[in-house]
Amino acid sequence: MKHIDAAAHTRGESQYVDDMPQPADLLFAAVFSAPVAHGKILQLDIKEALSMDGIIAIYSAKDIPGENQIGPIIQDETLLAEDKVHFIGEPVALVVAKTGELAQKALKKIKLEIEELPVVTDPRQAFANGQIIGNSRTFALGDIEGAWNICDVVVEGRCDIAGQEHVYLETQRARAVPLEDRCFRIHSSTQSPYAVQKSSAKILGLSHHKIEVDVQRLGGGFGGKEDQATPWACLVALAAWHTKKSVELVLPRHQDMEMTGKRHPYSSDFKIGLTKNGKILAYEVKHYQNSGATADLSTAVMERTLFHSTNSYFIPNVKIFAACCRTNLPPNTAFRGFGGPQGMFVIESAIAKAAEKLGMSPLEIQYKNLLQENDVLPYGQHVHDARSRKTWDEANKSYKFPAIQKRIAKYNETHFETKKGLAVMPICFGISFTSTFLNQAGALVHVYTDGSVSVSTGGIEMGQGLNTNLAKIAAKAFGINQERVKIESTNTTRIANMSASAASATTDLNGNATLIAVGQILDRLKSLAAKELGLSHKEKIVIENENVLFDGKATGWTWGKLIQTAYLNRVSLSAHGFYATPGIWFDRDKEKGHPFAYHVFGTAILEVTVDCLRGIYDINSVKMVHDLGRPINELVDRGQIEGGLAQGLGWMTLEELKFDEKGKYLSNSLATYKLPDVYFMPDVLEVKLLERIDNPSGPYGAKAVGEPPLMYGIGVFFAIRNAMRAFRPEIEFLFDSPLTPEKVLMQLHADWLDDLTNGRTVTSGKAVKAKKEKVEES
Ligand code: MTE
Ligand code: LUZ
Ligand code: MOS
């Protein structure tokens, strides 16, 4: 089965917020935001802007009728700035005009007088200043202090990990429509309709039931709309409240990039201790998360960093510290992996450095320490059905790691300017929201008298294929053709109090809720059929291919007949299903528990070629064995694996966020922020699925797929680094991402450049030349 939206997307017929027919009264908004990263607001002057033709109104904090507060976890975020601004791009005022162009024009005429305050952009400096959001946290296992003494080698280092733009194709946007009795309907490009409902109700001082949020689909979210779709929806709601007209806001790309948060950059210190055979005995890490100016989801993101700091490895003595550090940057937010990738990057760096010290292949250390059945993770959960080794062994069997290593060694002996590098990247990602209460979902299923089916859930289609999965789940559960099933928009009047579509758990949660709703209807239908057909064992009735069977034999009833009969007998053909993931919990006082329903495992092997004189590189191949359980729709899942990988590769290599020391964002367009394109993708991409084993937690045995494959991309950093080491083994390269071609070049030739700029004889240049001659000789 194809992605359910494939045809409509291809024809450009799929509707997004601003494609819906425009109401006659529609007005357009634009956001005026802070021009400096930290300061006191002295005066906001809107007179000139307000006098322009076509400008209807300009609103600021004082125009908010309810509470000016949209913080999702910690109440530290205003919708519109009050007396201070905390990052460049912080919303200060909202212009409402007859057209979007006019609204944008008016922004330039607004004057904001500000007394500037000191700006902090570095998380370590923020930490030193005591600018911490929430509490710092520590996960611990075993006896770390005792363990250092029994290690043969101890290695320390530092990582600096960059953030990442979401670059959803559809920028942030929302439309608010006033309804009777001071109610509002909001169309929002959000992963979390209930977050939008709650916050806009608070802003307007209304109860939740006065706000209806409807979401057809998103042109991508990637976490960037888990929480940060909310302000734009609140702003149009505010404008609709005042004007009593429909109002739409669409952020132009550069404003979207300036005003919204990104993946969190981290700066981390690690210390790792091993036996001389490569068994890891101790690991200590300190993570300084660059949270940006407000809490947003930072504390939850940091929590997932804690959970994934040992990736796929069992380490008996562990201490993991993390803190959210408040800086004057846009508030960073959810991004595919949600803090997990940062934690995993650091342990992989530690292993890489330890391997160099031990003169051992990192693969040897990785493999020796992979999780085994029933190993305990630092947060107290034992892994069950640990497929780390299984995916590694399967990948090794299919792709033959030793043969690749040998071929690469040979290549590097016989090539001077270009070097090849290899890395293996195992992943282990926990599935469930780490805040246990969020793991709940509802589904509302109607069967109409013609036998067609309507399914509503709290899940959001953001391109990931949720609706394709849900349609298949509902059709399979009913035993009917999939064409009969329609997946409705996500609407807060049909499904209440939904969690965000996030944490890769959307199909798990909403698919299970759908199965529960379908099960209720089926149960009623089977009781009726048993009665009408005079059959005593209703549990022997099944519906298959739209036919009602008893004990495997045809009854003569079709799906159509069954539904007609049910209707005439006044049997309810609607049901609401509710699902809450069983068996999960976490105790934040003890920092122990069982937070995840299960883990997703996999192993990828990545090969690159680096041009060591120019710094540029090619990704030759990525080959992996990934565990999908029993996929609902393999094609959709393969799309998620490839897309996630692409995003991970981009994060590690090309995508470089640039802020100056005053907190000004310099890479605010797609001309200055480089994304991977189809040419950048590996020449060879092989995805093998681990043999299909049911996952008891997933609908029909499926495993979540959305986020984990991104983390294979981390391997490309270490593959490039290995190639660099083949060229200059004497240099200790930094664990500083992204490893852009510029950084490759500068690190490979840093000493040479240093000699040049200081007027010294270029000694390293001579060394390189001598090496070239030697290789050519051989
Ligand atoms: N795939 C597409 N095409 N678009 C997206 O926005 N978001 C990712 C992932 N894959 C995303 C995507 C993120 S961050 C998550 S958490 C999951 O999809 C969410 O959907 P799921 O829970 O159904 O996997
Ligand atoms: N959001 C959240 C997430 O609130 N909790 C999580 O654990 C999570 N994990 C991944 C992505 N979003
Ligand atoms: Mo994804 S970061 O859970 O939206």
Side-chain angles (χ1 to χ4, degrees):
M1 183 198 174
K2 305 194 272 266
H3 193 292
I4 213 168
D5 287 332
H9 279 358
T10 310
R11 291 196 292 256
E13 290 169 0
S14 303
Q15 287 197 343
Y16 299 83
V17 171
D18 60 332
D19 293 320
M20 288 179 308
Q22 298 190 347
D25 66 345
L26 187 63
L27 298 172
F28 297 84
V31 181
F32 176 81
S33 68
V36 299
H38 196 196
K40 243 193 230 149
I41 297 181
L42 301 179
Q43 206 201 333
L44 175 68
D45 179 359
I46 58 169
K47 264 193 254 69
E48 192 185 345
L50 203 51
S51 70
M52 289 170 69
D53 258 1
I55 304 301
I56 308 292
I58 300 178
Y59 303 114
S60 59
K62 64 178 178 0
D63 300 304
I64 291 173
E67 201 185 326
N68 184 14
Q69 182 50 245
I70 57 167
I73 300 174
I74 295 170
Q75 307 284 288
D76 70 343
E77 187 177 0
T78 55
L79 177 64
L80 292 169
E82 289 176 358
D83 47 346
K84 267 184 170 184
V85 293
H86 311 83
F87 65 94
I88 294 177
E90 178 175 347
V92 175
L94 186 76
V95 177
V96 183
K98 285 190 176 145
T99 71
E101 290 77 8
L102 286 171
Q104 286 291 331
K105 242 188 211 162
L107 296 182
K108 301 200 176 72
K109 301 291 180 197
I110 295 178
K111 292 180 204 86
L112 186 65
E113 217 180 296
I114 286 189
E115 179 191 323
E116 291 195 36
L117 294 167
V119 170
V120 177
T121 59
D122 173 45
R124 288 181 191 254
Q125 195 195 328
F127 185 79
N129 296 351
Q131 295 169 219
I132 300 173
I133 297 170
N135 299 317
S136 62
R137 291 172 64 180
T138 302
F139 280 16
L141 182 71
D143 167 22
I144 191 86
E145 292 313 325
W148 299 122
N149 302 321
I150 53 165
C151 296
D152 295 322
V153 289
V154 175
V155 176
E156 292 182 62
R158 166 180 171 147
C159 296
D160 288 281
I161 311 169
Q164 186 176 24
E165 274 289 347
H166 300 88
V167 206
Y168 22 65
L169 288 179
E170 179 201 30
T171 56
Q172 302 278 1
R173 61 199 60 198
R175 184 192 287 178
V177 179
L179 307 173
E180 63 180 31
D181 196 24
R182 293 303 265 159
C183 293
F184 297 88
R185 182 185 302 123
I186 300 174
H187 301 276
S188 161
S189 181
T190 178
Q191 289 172 241
S192 188
Y194 191 45
V196 166
Q197 182 183 17
K198 269 193 281 198
S199 284
S200 48
K202 192 187 231 177
I203 289 293
L204 300 183
L206 300 175
S207 49
H208 293 184
H209 70 210
K210 295 238 165 187
I211 308 268
E212 170 187 349
V213 179
D214 190 86
V215 182
Q216 183 64 47
R217 61 164 64 73
L218 273 55
F222 306 111
K225 296 168 181 171
E226 181 170 335
D227 178 61
Q228 294 204 2
T230 299
W232 326 109
C234 290
L235 287 171
V236 289
L238 174 68
W241 190 90
H242 281 289
T243 59
K244 302 189 166 67
K245 297 209 161 108
S246 304
V247 181
E248 181 171 292
L249 170 62
V250 174
L251 291 191
R253 178 68 64 183
H254 71 281
Q255 286 177 5
D256 184 300
M257 292 176 87
E258 281 162 8
M259 293 177 188
T260 65
K262 298 132 207 340
R263 183 190 293 287
H264 293 78
Y266 276 61
S267 189
S268 308
D269 295 320
F270 64 78
K271 183 173 172 187
I272 190 169
L274 309 87
T275 66
K276 57 181 180 303
N277 300 323
K279 178 86 194 108
I280 306 173
L281 296 179
Y283 179 57
E284 183 172 1
V285 58
K286 294 196 181 86
H287 296 293
Y288 304 96
Q289 179 199 64
N290 191 335
S291 314
T294 64
D296 191 89
L297 299 170
S298 292
T299 50
V301 170
M302 177 186 102
E303 184 171 54
R304 201 173 264 281
T305 305
L306 292 163
F307 283 120
H308 292 87
S309 281
T310 54
N311 190 16
S312 304
Y313 308 107
F314 171 68
I315 306 177
N317 304 289
V318 179
K319 189 171 172 192
I320 310 159
F321 167 90
C324 299
C325 310
R326 197 189 292 276
T327 59
N328 297 109
L329 297 181
N332 289 314
T333 193
F335 195 137
R336 209 171 193 169
F338 205 73
Q342 291 93 326
M344 287 157 70
F345 180 87
V346 182
I347 181 75
E348 293 302 328
S349 299
I351 290 174
K353 193 152 181 184
E356 287 158 21
K357 178 88 177 262
L358 283 165
M360 200 181 256
S361 159
L363 276 62
E364 217 179 313
I365 300 179
Q366 288 174 309
Y367 189 68
K368 219 167 242 163
N369 295 283
L370 283 180
L371 286 167
Q372 309 217 48
E373 191 61 20
N374 215 32
D375 274 345
V376 69
L377 290 156
Y379 46 91
Q381 181 163 347
H382 292 258
V383 276
H384 289 297
D385 203 5
R387 296 177 187 173
S388 316
R389 253 160 225 275
K390 215 174 206 158
T391 58
W392 181 298
D393 288 339
E394 193 70 31
N396 194 8
K397 204 170 89 198
S398 305
Y399 309 127
K400 305 196 170 49
F401 298 173
I404 301 178
Q405 282 173 302
K406 232 162 122 185
R407 176 170 51 71
I408 287 183
K410 174 101 200 192
Y411 180 97
N412 288 344
E413 268 167 40
T414 52
H415 291 73
F416 167 69
E417 295 179 19
T418 61
K419 297 289 182 194
K420 280 188 180 289
L422 166 95
V424 174
M425 184 66 205
I427 61 160
C428 166
F429 195 78
I431 302 300
S432 291
F433 287 93
T434 62
S435 295
T436 301
F437 74 93
L438 291 173
N439 296 286
Q440 54 175 304
L444 179 65
V445 177
H446 300 311
V447 183
Y448 296 104
T449 58
D450 67 351
S452 65
V453 173
S454 154
V455 177
S456 295
T457 74
I460 296 288
E461 173 61 54
M462 59 188 108
Q464 89 279 39
L466 171 72
N467 288 358
T468 312
N469 290 341
L470 288 176
K472 192 146 172 185
I473 288 168
K476 189 167 169 178
F478 274 128
I480 59 176
N481 295 334
Q482 200 174 304
E483 290 68 43
R484 287 195 188 268
V485 180
K486 178 176 173 235
I487 308 301
E488 307 287 354
S489 68
T490 314
N491 187 297
T492 53
T493 65
R494 275 178 265 120
I495 304 295
N497 315 328
M498 76 257 297
S499 295
S501 285
S504 306
T506 316
T507 291
D508 280 12
L509 294 170
N510 295 278
N512 277 322
T514 301
L515 284 177
I516 289 167
V518 169
Q520 291 170 23
I521 298 174
L522 272 180
D523 193 56
R524 295 177 209 141
L525 291 173
K526 286 177 186 175
S527 296
L528 172 81
K531 193 173 116 215
E532 294 290 309
L533 290 164
L535 303 165
S536 50
H537 291 277
K538 77 168 185 182
E539 67 282 357
K540 288 189 183 168
I541 297 175
V542 291
I543 303 163
E544 234 178 67
N545 298 322
E546 309 219 331
N547 287 307
V548 181
L549 309 181
F550 182 80
D551 215 2
K553 288 189 279 291
T555 60
W557 276 29
T558 60
W559 171 252
K561 166 89 179 165
L562 179 64
I563 297 304
Q564 269 298 324
T565 313
Y567 175 68
L568 294 174
N569 281 277
R570 298 187 294 171
V571 171
S572 166
L573 291 170
S574 297
H576 178 269
F578 178 79
Y579 179 76
T581 312
I584 50 172
W585 60 278
F586 194 71
D587 180 339
R588 284 185 181 148
D589 293 323
K590 299 198 175 75
E591 301 288 28
K592 299 281 178 195
H594 190 105
F596 300 119
Y598 59 91
H599 292 86
V600 170
F601 299 97
T603 300
I605 178 160
L606 304 92
E607 184 180 330
V608 302
T609 307
V610 177
D611 178 335
C612 297
L613 297 188
R614 295 168 186 82
I616 56 179
Y617 42 75
D618 279 319
I619 305 173
N620 306 117
S621 68
V622 177
K623 299 174 181 178
M624 66 177 81
V625 172
H626 184 79
D627 173 22
L628 281 179
R630 192 179 296 279
I632 292 166
N633 189 322
E634 193 179 311
L635 198 58
V636 162
D637 284 4
R638 283 182 178 272
Q640 284 295 294
I641 293 171
E642 293 184 11
L645 172 71
Q647 224 161 13
L649 293 173
W651 174 48
M652 283 285 115
T653 54
L654 305 179
E655 299 184 39
E656 194 171 28
L657 300 173
K658 286 269 194 188
F659 288 92
D660 69 13
E661 69 285 353
K662 303 208 81 179
K664 188 173 166 52
Y665 189 34
L666 304 174
S667 47
N668 68 345
S669 83
L670 298 182
T672 48
Y673 186 80
K674 176 70 180 151
L675 290 173
D677 58 17
V678 68
Y679 300 105
F680 186 75
M681 284 297 279
D683 303 330
V684 175
L685 174 52
E686 279 183 47
V687 178
K688 259 191 84 162
L689 303 178
L690 200 60
E691 81 283 7
R692 299 159 172 243
I693 323 174
D694 280 344
N695 168 33
S697 292
Y700 290 120
K703 268 197 169 183
V705 67
E707 294 168 287
L710 180 135
M711 283 152 265
Y712 293 128
I714 294 170
V716 78
F717 181 97
F718 297 94
I720 295 170
R721 194 170 182 280
N722 282 347
M724 291 163 72
R725 284 180 54 76
F727 190 73
R728 300 283 309 266
E730 72 281 13
I731 298 181
E732 282 224 359
F733 298 108
L734 303 174
F735 297 103
D736 175 11
S737 83
L739 194 41
T740 59
E742 290 87 342
K743 281 196 206 159
V744 171
L745 186 73
M746 299 305 245
Q747 286 193 69
L748 280 173
H749 305 288
D751 43 1
W752 189 356
L753 288 164
D754 195 48
D755 285 345
L756 265 178
T757 46
N758 290 299
R760 288 192 295 266
T761 316
V762 181
T763 49
S764 54
K766 275 189 193 144
V768 167
K769 198 167 163 219
K771 217 187 268 177
K772 177 176 161 79
E773 278 157 11
K774 219 170 113 203
V775 170
E776 277 166 0
E777 242 169 66
S778 83

